Amino acid sequence: MIEGKTIAFLAAPEGTEQVELTEPWQTIMNAGGVPRLISTREGRIQAFHHLDRGDAFRVDATVDQVEAAQFDGLVLPGGVANPDYLRTRPEAVRFVRAFFDLGKPVAAICHAPWTLIEADVVRGRTLTSWPSLQTDLRNAGATWHDREVVVCTAAPSTLVTSRMPDDLKAFGEAAIEAFA
């Protein structure tokens, strides 16, 4: 269990796959953790169910108001637009990279590894993702596997990755173990 540990969830102002935010969020809460929604803008993020608008979620802080050192781990939900936006924002990329620099655990699902590529933290690591990212990950120096969940401990920062919403149960269990 992760009683009292604070876990950052980084999401773009819009484009996050809702279930990849809400299910890990609930898993963190059920394990006694404290999830915090971080974004690049104040207010609310707009989540999606694939291409359809989902719910809006209140942002707890922006990336320029917090530091990785304030958190015990990081979750990067997917969705196509979410990580594509985040990888173009230097402050978001710096925030992600800081977790790796500090040796803190990170969990990323679906298209979220795009942000990891931009942060230059996948070289020499083994991971999975939505299948269309495999060439990008290999070109960035990662080893890619088509598995439900991959836990990489090849560096001080444990990296948990999964492919898609169907993998959320395994993703959540592996993330809790890494955060513990």
Side-chain angles (χ1 to χ4, degrees), residues 1-178:
M1 300 306 270
I2 57 170
E3 192 68 39
K5 291 193 176 191
T6 304
I7 308 300
F9 280 69
L10 179 61
E14 66 177 23
T16 299
E17 185 67 33
Q18 183 165 320
V19 71
E20 294 174 2
L21 170 67
T22 58
E23 281 198 29
W25 186 282
Q26 190 62 51
T27 299
I28 296 296
M29 289 181 55
N30 290 347
V34 180
R36 301 262 333 260
L37 184 57
I38 311 302
S39 190
T40 57
R41 283 189 275 191
E42 294 180 333
R44 296 185 170 275
I45 67 157
Q46 177 62 59
F48 281 75
H49 301 291
H50 192 55
L51 299 175
D52 298 321
R53 280 179 151 340
D55 297 323
F57 297 89
R58 185 181 58 78
V59 171
D60 293 308
T62 62
V63 290
D64 59 344
Q65 296 170 333
V66 294
E67 295 179 11
Q70 296 172 255
F71 300 95
D72 297 296
L74 172 66
V75 174
L76 296 171
V80 177
N82 175 46
D84 193 48
Y85 173 88
L86 291 174
R87 68 183 176 162
T88 68
R89 299 298 184 264
E91 67 276 18
V93 173
R94 276 191 303 273
F95 184 67
V96 170
R97 174 141 187 116
F99 281 85
F100 288 87
D101 291 343
L102 294 170
K104 295 186 178 228
V106 174
I109 189 167
C110 196
H111 289 77
W114 267 339
T115 309
L116 300 177
I117 291 169
E118 194 63 35
D120 193 25
V121 295
V122 300
R123 188 172 322 283
R125 304 299 295 259
T126 301
L127 55 146
T128 193
S129 66
W130 185 257
S132 65
L133 274 66
Q134 65 181 295
T135 300
D136 297 339
L137 286 161
R138 287 181 178 132
N139 287 342
T143 300
W144 186 88
H145 293 288
D146 185 12
R147 293 190 192 134
E148 177 178 61
V149 67
V150 173
V151 178
C152 181
T153 57
S157 179
T158 298
L159 176 59
V160 176
T161 53
S162 283
R163 302 169 300 187
M164 64 189 83
D166 290 348
D167 301 335
L168 280 165
K169 184 175 185 325
F171 178 68
E173 290 169 358
I176 293 299
E177 189 173 319

